């Protein structure tokens, strides 16, 4: 897609290419984040560029734990928090810690494609479980998919690519299925990015056997800085062993932990979030326009993706039709669900507006 984008820009001029493919925030980090970054740099405390404990700075981990305790009501301490190289780091260390070769991890389809690699990196086998018509976890299918080799299920709400937010009732019921040795790995980099006042339920509170993979990449628009954490539920019976294994995995997988400067920054302003209203405005503009043209394009509740049905079943063929209009989108089959496409709201608003005529022409073509 990236290569095709470059070629299209050369052919048509950059102003005539409308790139809906990237999950790279188009906004700048909140002022509070840049202010903390300046403070940390100007204080330049002795040894602030040195090695640190493998799980990250204890003071920062304690600050994160206080926030988790307030949110979930669970007795979190810094011991349950490991500072990681984004959510990708958190997901990799927990898989490294829990998987033996051939163990299975359930992925709810459609899914973020990197999950497959994260599981396979550590000898695991991804098992796809279809979601329901609203892209919510299908509890019957999940119950059927759990077998003797199942070690984990990855949850992702708000979801990439669908924008679905899992309901509290669903997570509560799911808790009954997540029994020893299975754990729920809740990947939540989009948690603060929700629309219409929707508040995602707290997975750590609702599912006893859960861990949280967190990242500030999307919340603070800092994906290049690689700041995240893994938080392990204090209710896990195997907490001490899991903590040791994840801390060791953080040390040996090559990325060690979250960068030092960024640990101090996020520790000082953990809740600073980009302005979500601008994503919501673009969501409304795009969904209303597409629906008016005849696309099935429901409004997502969160993340910054819209996941409409393609008007023809062959999503890849439709992506090519859009490409002829200068529009770049990702086929749903890239996420395990053909017949759909993912459109990222990180595109500039004016480009989004100018792309609409192309969407209209694409759906008017004979099927
Ligand atoms: C669902 C999901 N999980 C994890 C990640 C990785 O996040 P990070 O950049 O913090 O490693 C992404 C990035 O796009 C994502 O969409």
């Amino acid at each position: 897609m990236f290569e095709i984008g470059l070629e299209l820009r050369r052919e048509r001029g950059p102003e005539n290419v409308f790139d809906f493919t990237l999950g790279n925030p188009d906004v700048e980090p909140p002022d509070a984040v840049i202010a903390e970054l300046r403070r940390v740099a100007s204080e330049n405390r002795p040894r602030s560029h040195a090695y640190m404990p493998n799980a990250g700075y204890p003071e920062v981990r304690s600050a994160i734990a206080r926030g988790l305790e307030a949110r979930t009501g669970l007795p979190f301490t810094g011991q349950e928090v490991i500072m990681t190289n984004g959510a990708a780091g958190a997901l990799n260390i927990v898989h490294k810690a829990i998987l033996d070769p051939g163990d299975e991890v359930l992925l709810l389809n459609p899914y973020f494609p990197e999950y497959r690699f994260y599981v396979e990196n550590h000898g695991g086998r991804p098992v796809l479980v279809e979601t329901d018509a609203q892209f919510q976890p299908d509890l019957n299918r999940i119950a059927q998919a759990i077998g003797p080799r199942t070690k984990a299920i990855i949850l992702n709400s708000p979801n990439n690519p669908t924008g679905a937010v899992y309901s509290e009732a669903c997570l509560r019921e799911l808790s009954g299925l997540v029994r020893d040795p299975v754990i729920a790995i809740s990947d939540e980099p989009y948690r603060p990015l929700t629309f219409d006042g929707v508040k995602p339920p707290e997975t750590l509170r609702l599912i006893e056997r859960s861990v949280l993979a967190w990242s500030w990449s999307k919340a603070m628009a800092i994906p290049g800085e690689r700041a995240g954490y893994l938080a392990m539920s204090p209710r896990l019976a195997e907490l001490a062993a899991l903590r040791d294994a994840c801390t060791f995995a953080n040390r040996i997988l090559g990325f060690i932990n979250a960068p030092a400067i960024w640990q101090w920054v996020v520790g000082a302003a953990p809740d600073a979030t980009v302005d979500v209203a601008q994503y919501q405005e673009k969501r409304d503009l795009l969904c209303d326009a597409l629906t008016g043209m005849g696309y099935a394009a429901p409004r997502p509740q969160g993340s910054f993706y819209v996941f409409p049905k393609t008007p023809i079943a062959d999503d890849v063929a439709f992506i090519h039709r859009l490409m002829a209009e200068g529009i770049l989108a990702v086929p749903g089959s890239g996420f395990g669900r053909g017949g759909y496409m993912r459109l990222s709201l990180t595109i500039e608003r004016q480009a989004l507006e100018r792309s609409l005529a192309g969407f209209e022409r694409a759906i008017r073509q004979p099927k």
Side-chain angles (χ1 to χ4, degrees), residues 54-55 81-99 118 121-122 185 211-213 229-232 242-257:
N54 291 314
V81 178
I82 298 178
M83 303 306 292
T84 61
N85 202 280
L91 292 164
N92 272 281
I93 64 170
V94 71
H95 283 114
K96 173 79 175 164
I98 64 172
L99 294 180
Y118 299 163
N121 277 347
H122 308 293
I185 301 172
V211 299
L212 166 67
Y229 65 78
L230 179 79
M232 292 154 282
L242 183 65
R243 182 166 57 211
D244 287 353
C246 289
T247 305
F248 187 68
N250 215 26
R251 171 178 151 198
I252 61 168
L253 288 180
F255 38 74
I256 318 286
N257 46 35

Side-chain angles (χ1 to χ4, degrees), residues 23-24 85-91 112 114-115 118 156 158-161 187-190 214-218 222-224 226-228 304-305 342:
N24 206 3
N85 202 280
L91 292 164
F112 176 54
E114 313 305 271
Y115 291 155
Y118 299 163
N156 175 221
N159 188 268
N160 175 11
D187 177 31
E188 304 187 8
Y190 299 95
W214 172 269
S215 160
W216 284 278
S217 294
K218 321 285 172 166
I222 53 165
R226 315 306 307 140
F304 44 51
Y305 306 105
R342 192 193 75 173

Side-chain angles (χ1 to χ4, degrees), residues 113-170:
E114 313 305 271
Y115 291 155
R116 170 175 293 279
F117 304 113
Y118 299 163
V119 171
E120 288 174 350
N121 277 347
H122 308 293
R125 208 170 70 76
V127 173
L128 301 188
V129 183
E130 294 302 319
T131 50
D132 71 13
Q134 278 71 48
F135 302 119
Q136 293 282 316
D138 182 325
L139 296 162
N140 288 330
R141 287 196 178 119
I142 292 170
Q144 278 163 20
I146 293 176
R149 297 303 304 264
T150 311
K151 282 289 178 62
I153 173 169
I154 301 185
L155 307 176
N156 175 221
S157 166
N159 188 268
N160 175 11
T162 66
V165 174
Y166 301 161
S167 72
E168 175 152 347
C170 169

Side-chain angles (χ1 to χ4, degrees), residues 245-309:
C246 289
T247 305
F248 187 68
N250 215 26
R251 171 178 151 198
I252 61 168
L253 288 180
F255 38 74
I256 318 286
N257 46 35
I261 299 276
W262 281 92
Q263 288 194 37
W264 294 121
V265 174
V266 297
D271 299 322
T273 303
V274 295
D275 175 19
V276 180
Q278 45 96 23
Y279 288 130
Q280 182 164 328
E281 278 165 26
K282 287 190 274 187
R283 175 202 68 163
D284 292 343
L285 177 66
L286 183 61
C287 291
D288 289 353
L290 293 182
T291 306
M293 295 170 201
Y295 287 88
R299 291 173 188 226
Q301 290 188 298
S303 78
F304 44 51
Y305 306 105
V306 176
F307 199 60
K309 270 194 173 141

